[in-house]
Amino acid sequence: DVDIFHILLAQLHRTQGDATKALQHAGRAIALTPKNPESYNCFGSAAFDLGDFEIAEKNYRQAIELQPQFFDAIVNHGVVLLKLEHFDAAEAQFRKAVSIEPRRADLLEKLGMALELLERQPEAIEAYRTAGELDPNSIGPAMRLGAVLREVGKIDDACCVFETAARRVPRME
């Protein structure tokens, strides 16, 4: 299949920071095999890199329509939905991703972000707490958990989270 080379080229151009070339190759892959969800996911990622979130969302959605359990497209779709401030839809995508890979701290952190933006702090706290338990050396979940705890007035709990994170997270030198 020739489209796989265009997908690979699109991915390589993205890693080199050339989203315009990535978009061109992903477009060629779609033209060659319009039923390949990976082509739409690549096109969406290149559009996302270019800041065209509406086009990215449309392509991630198309990838998921073609392959409903396409994990990368589901996660990417959730991220772009956050950018577009469609928080309910983002939450749904992150919940779907977590149902596929429940032990991924980064997914639980993203779910927590969607919940926090929906002003559902108790659920966000739980998502961040679980993410931190899964990856105790990650800075993101601890920072977000502490911030939400502080926001809801649980200052002592926030201090505890930050103190624990300060002991766990490796220092940069």
Side-chain angles (χ1 to χ4, degrees):
D1 293 323
V2 174
D3 68 315
I4 190 66
F5 293 111
H6 287 291
I7 291 169
L8 292 169
L9 284 164
Q11 291 169 342
L12 287 171
H13 286 298
R14 275 192 74 227
T15 60
Q16 293 178 326
D18 192 343
T20 301
K21 281 187 181 176
L23 196 70
Q24 292 168 352
H25 284 288
R28 287 185 193 127
I30 290 170
L32 289 167
T33 54
K35 298 288 185 196
N36 184 347
E38 183 62 43
S39 302
Y40 292 95
N41 189 52
C42 280
F43 197 94
S45 295
F48 185 94
D49 291 348
L50 291 170
D52 196 338
F53 303 128
E54 295 287 342
I55 295 294
E57 189 278 329
K58 176 184 166 219
N59 280 275
Y60 294 142
R61 189 169 11 95
Q62 181 63 38
I64 295 165
E65 285 176 20
L66 291 169
Q67 185 180 336
Q69 296 297 308
F70 186 178
F71 181 77
D72 291 341
I74 293 166
V75 174
N76 291 341
H77 195 221
V79 171
V80 79
L81 288 167
L82 280 180
K83 284 280 193 190
L84 292 169
E85 298 183 5
H86 298 266
F87 305 132
D88 286 317
E91 176 200 0
Q93 291 303 309
F94 293 134
R95 285 197 185 280
K96 187 175 180 181
V98 168
S99 75
I100 296 168
E101 291 198 25
R103 307 236 2 116
R104 291 264 309 263
D106 60 319
L107 298 179
L108 286 158
E109 183 178 357
K110 287 175 176 65
L111 174 60
M113 291 168 57
L115 293 165
E116 186 178 348
L117 290 164
L118 288 165
E119 298 183 13
R120 289 167 40 201
Q121 277 70 7
E123 291 173 84
I125 288 168
E126 186 57 34
Y128 293 143
R129 194 175 311 255
T130 303
E133 290 167 0
L134 289 171
D135 187 1
N137 293 325
S138 180
I139 295 171
M143 287 180 61
R144 291 188 177 283
L145 175 59
V148 175
L149 288 168
R150 182 178 59 203
E151 181 184 320
V152 298
K154 295 184 177 183
I155 305 303
D156 290 341
D157 290 346
C159 287
C160 183
V161 167
F162 291 144
E163 288 168 358
T164 301
R167 287 191 301 274
R168 282 189 183 154
V169 177
R171 299 195 196 303
M172 298 278 220
E173 303 215 7

